[in-house]
Amino acid sequence: MDAKSPRQEAKNDTVQSVEDLRQQLAEATEFQRASADILRIINTGSADVEAVFDAIVQTGRKLIPDCDFSIALAEGHEVKLAAFDSSNPKHVEVWKTRFPHPLNREYFHGEAILDRKIVDIADVNKVAETQAAGMQNMLGSPYWANTLVPLVRDQKAFGVIAVPRTKPGPLTENQLAMLHTFADQAVIAIQNASVLDELKTNQRELSESLEHQAAATAVLA
């Protein structure tokens, strides 16, 4: 077999580089479109956090191949599942059985929440001894890897967005960037819901106060 000439190799490299750039551009465009769709849901003024969470996990799974997408929240001393999406119905049932679980650092979700840091498990069989409970929680499931990003508001983490995967290996830098954006959107949804709840509470209290004043005025009249 004739060896390729340096010119031919350079041409092939150029063609591959162009194809790589086209692929990256297509992925970036698709991500921006999907991200805009999620922001439109957030900006509707609705306090329906579940709808935002569902949109995030569904969009994330489509944009990051060979993975499932999950959002879990800390409630008291436990971590509870808030949203999950998978193309495999069996994965959904298995993942649900992993929650709730204790909010402590022996679990991957607990570590991410309590330490407000990314927990990146490229291979569940190669975790630290301190993560034994997290490893046991994943064994028996179809997942071999998981990357978890905390949801942080006012310097406190209240939940986690996670990408469990059926094959060992890390996410790419672009995929990690997407994951951070989805985490930011989940935090915005929670913040909007809190603001709307506060406004509704203030309006209710104001209405009750006005009704009380009107009743008092009627008595004095």
Side-chain angles (χ1 to χ4, degrees):
M1 182 181 294
D2 295 335
K4 293 181 180 179
S5 67
R7 180 176 296 180
Q8 183 62 41
E9 289 182 352
K11 181 179 179 181
N12 291 343
D13 290 343
T14 300
V15 171
Q16 184 60 48
S17 296
V18 171
E19 288 301 318
D20 290 343
L21 288 173
R22 286 177 178 171
Q23 179 65 27
Q24 292 174 14
L25 178 60
E27 291 176 354
T29 301
E30 186 178 1
F31 173 68
Q32 289 175 357
R33 184 182 299 113
S35 183
D37 289 341
I38 294 172
L39 289 175
R40 274 193 288 272
I41 295 174
I42 293 174
N43 290 330
T44 57
S46 170
D48 188 359
V49 176
E50 287 186 10
V52 178
F53 285 177
D54 287 341
I56 289 174
V57 296
Q58 291 166 13
T59 301
R61 186 185 62 77
K62 294 175 182 177
L63 291 178
I64 302 180
D66 302 321
C67 77
D68 291 338
F69 240 78
S70 170
I71 294 178
L73 302 177
E75 295 186 16
H77 299 291
E78 291 184 325
V79 177
K80 296 184 178 181
L81 186 63
F84 183 70
D85 193 66
S86 172
S87 61
N88 190 327
K90 292 182 179 179
H91 290 189
V92 176
E93 294 306 315
V94 171
W95 194 247
K96 286 181 178 179
T97 65
R98 269 54 189 173
F99 298 89
H101 64 67
L103 177 60
N104 63 49
R105 290 177 175 84
E106 293 181 359
Y107 289 85
F108 304 145
H109 285 73
E111 182 180 0
I113 293 171
L114 295 174
D115 293 337
R116 292 180 300 169
K117 70 176 187 179
I118 296 174
V119 175
D120 197 9
I121 309 297
D123 189 336
V124 72
N125 288 315
K126 299 178 181 179
V127 300
E129 291 183 3
T130 54
Q131 299 171 314
M135 180 183 71
Q136 289 297 325
N137 203 35
M138 283 187 68
L139 291 179
S141 78
Y143 303 112
W144 289 85
N146 197 3
T147 302
L148 306 95
V149 174
L151 307 179
V152 181
R153 179 189 178 201
D154 298 331
Q155 304 300 313
K156 183 178 180 180
F158 61 86
V160 165
I161 187 166
V163 181
R165 304 181 293 284
T166 57
K167 297 179 181 179
L171 295 178
T172 66
E173 290 186 7
N174 285 341
Q175 290 169 340
L176 279 173
M178 289 184 191
L179 194 54
H180 279 289
T181 299
F182 289 133
D184 291 341
Q185 291 174 334
V187 172
I188 292 172
I190 289 289
Q191 289 174 330
N192 281 7
S194 296
V195 171
L196 287 172
D197 285 343
E198 185 176 351
L199 286 173
K200 289 178 181 178
T201 299
N202 291 340
Q203 290 174 347
R204 183 173 61 254
E205 291 176 349
L206 177 60
S207 177
E208 292 173 352
S209 176
L210 291 174
E211 289 178 1
H212 177 73
Q213 291 177 16
T217 300
V219 171
L220 294 174

